[in-house]
Amino acid sequence: MSLDFVHETRPGRVVFAVGARHRLPEEVDRLGLRRLLVVSTPEQAALAAELTAPLGGRVAEPHPHATMHVPVAVAERAVARAREAGADGCLAVGGGSAIGLAKAVAKETGLPIVAVPTTYAGSEMTPIWGLTGADRKTTGRDPRVLPSTVVYDPELTVTLPPGLSVTSGMNALAHSAEALYAPDCSPVTALAAADSVRALAAALPRVAADPGDLEARSDALYGAWLAGTALGSTTMSLHHKLCHILGGTFDLPHAQTHTAVLPHVLALNLPAAPRARAALEHALGTENPAAHLFRLARDLGAEMSLKAMGMPEDGVETVVTQAFAAPYANPRPVTRTDLRRLLGDALAGTAPA
């Protein structure tokens, strides 16, 4: 087999260990940061304060105002506060909402980001930003938004409820599954993506059974790290396109939406992506990855119906129209009929065809 690929290694430092949060001061010092804007959701404000207490005067201002899908108005306020506080860096504590808001700040100011993830979102490893205005989400790539340092501490994920752990992990798994059939997937990315799928699929049932199992939490966080790395190195395809539209248009919960949509997209795409299918079959130990992931998520308690999450039944055509309004990479051509069937199944929460 002749090889023909391009692989671009992303800059960035990863610190991964149980208790890694205690190394945060030395990591901040390593970057020479002295005035940090500390970004979190309101729910994570106390944790952010606890983690940054050892930083003392290096915290310029806490900013616990991150929300899902990064609304434009929320991003603009955070950028303004960073400038007013004279921040020289942004510290994000939390999941995709906090890291997404930090990216919005970095996109406008160029400030370096230190990320301390508490979920399996994976966005801390990508140069991808997203902003939601009116009824639509816009995404893009900018090397300035890739965090300079990521501190992974499995202990920080222990309090993530089992249900959210499952959907957050499935969200990460979706990054890897889609990376496997991306047009710019390299051999290195394929290895990372496949091992991510293996690690996450094996860890999530253990996390759901015992949320305090640190070994299972470590395995899941490891898988999420690889998933974010894979996503950051490849072009997003149909799955992410649909989930961004669904989240931005109907304000559906991010990780839960990825969980419900992924099996249906895989059922559509994998027949046209034999290498990706083979990698997923091997990683999951199954001949039908789409059905396997549907059952895995459902059996672990995940909601598989977009309607139950708040999507209106007449919203299918809105999504189809938006999906066809902008081109995207995909291993096979997709028709409007394909999308209507796929979205109808996900709306109802039925098994993938």
Side-chain angles (χ1 to χ4, degrees):
M1 178 184 68
S2 61
L3 295 177
D4 184 348
F5 66 89
V6 173
H7 179 77
E8 183 174 345
T9 300
R10 306 290 179 183
R13 176 178 170 88
V14 171
V15 180
F16 192 115
V18 172
R21 65 190 182 280
H22 300 303
R23 305 183 199 174
L24 189 55
E26 63 187 83
E27 293 301 322
V28 168
D29 287 344
R30 187 176 181 277
L31 293 171
L33 303 178
R34 291 293 177 267
R35 292 190 60 77
L36 290 166
L37 182 77
V38 179
V39 175
S40 71
T41 62
E43 295 80 9
Q44 296 276 51
L47 175 62
E50 177 187 336
L51 294 181
T52 57
L55 297 177
R58 286 166 287 188
V59 174
E61 183 175 314
H63 191 78
H65 304 296
T67 59
M68 187 171 61
H69 302 308
V70 195
V72 170
V74 172
E76 290 174 345
R77 285 195 294 272
V79 170
R81 290 309 305 149
R83 288 173 171 156
E84 291 164 6
D88 62 0
C90 197
L91 173 61
V93 176
S97 297
I99 294 166
L101 183 56
K103 287 182 172 184
V105 173
K107 177 175 174 289
E108 297 301 319
T109 65
L111 295 180
I113 299 172
V114 177
V116 185
T118 60
T119 71
Y120 308 126
S123 61
E124 65 280 352
M125 293 306 299
T126 80
I128 302 165
W129 56 266
L131 292 168
T132 302
D135 61 349
R136 192 161 302 199
K137 186 170 184 176
T138 302
T139 62
R141 288 175 179 260
D142 189 326
R144 293 180 301 172
V145 311
L146 181 71
S148 300
T149 301
V150 181
V151 177
Y152 285 111
D153 187 340
E155 286 185 325
L156 294 178
T157 67
V158 168
T159 57
L160 190 65
L164 287 178
S165 296
V166 169
T167 55
S168 183
M170 290 294 295
N171 176 26
L173 198 151
H175 302 335
S176 291
E178 188 147 90
L180 284 167
Y181 56 65
D184 46 1
C185 182
S186 75
V188 172
T189 300
L191 287 171
D195 203 41
S196 166
V197 171
R198 177 201 60 77
L200 283 161
L204 292 180
R206 294 153 55 209
V207 168
D210 181 5
D213 184 344
L214 266 182
E215 185 174 341
R217 291 286 187 180
S218 293
D219 289 347
L221 198 57
Y222 164 79
W225 164 53
L226 292 182
T229 301
L231 178 67
S233 300
T234 54
T235 301
M236 291 186 291
S237 301
L238 177 62
H239 171 79
H240 283 83
K241 179 76 172 181
L242 292 179
C243 290
H244 289 160
I245 294 171
L246 289 163
T249 304
F250 304 114
D251 198 32
L252 301 188
H254 182 80
Q256 292 90 326
T257 300
H258 277 268
T259 302
V261 170
L262 177 63
H264 302 283
V265 174
L266 291 182
L268 181 71
N269 277 341
L270 289 185
R275 289 186 183 177
R277 183 183 183 109
L280 288 172
E281 288 175 348
H282 180 74
L284 296 170
T286 179
E287 294 183 355
N288 190 335
H292 179 87
L293 290 175
F294 180 89
R295 290 192 301 269
L296 175 66
R298 182 198 60 194
D299 293 350
L300 293 178
E303 176 57 67
M304 302 305 288
S305 164
L306 295 179
K307 181 179 180 181
M309 296 179 201
M311 180 180 172
E313 290 194 36
D314 61 0
V316 169
E317 285 305 315
T318 299
V319 178
V320 172
T321 299
Q322 288 191 38
F324 274 85
Y328 53 88
N330 205 58
R332 54 159 287 182
V334 178
T335 66
R336 292 175 182 269
T337 300
D338 291 331
L339 284 191
R340 290 187 187 107
R341 183 173 61 249
L342 185 159
L343 291 165
D345 289 344
L347 186 72
T350 58

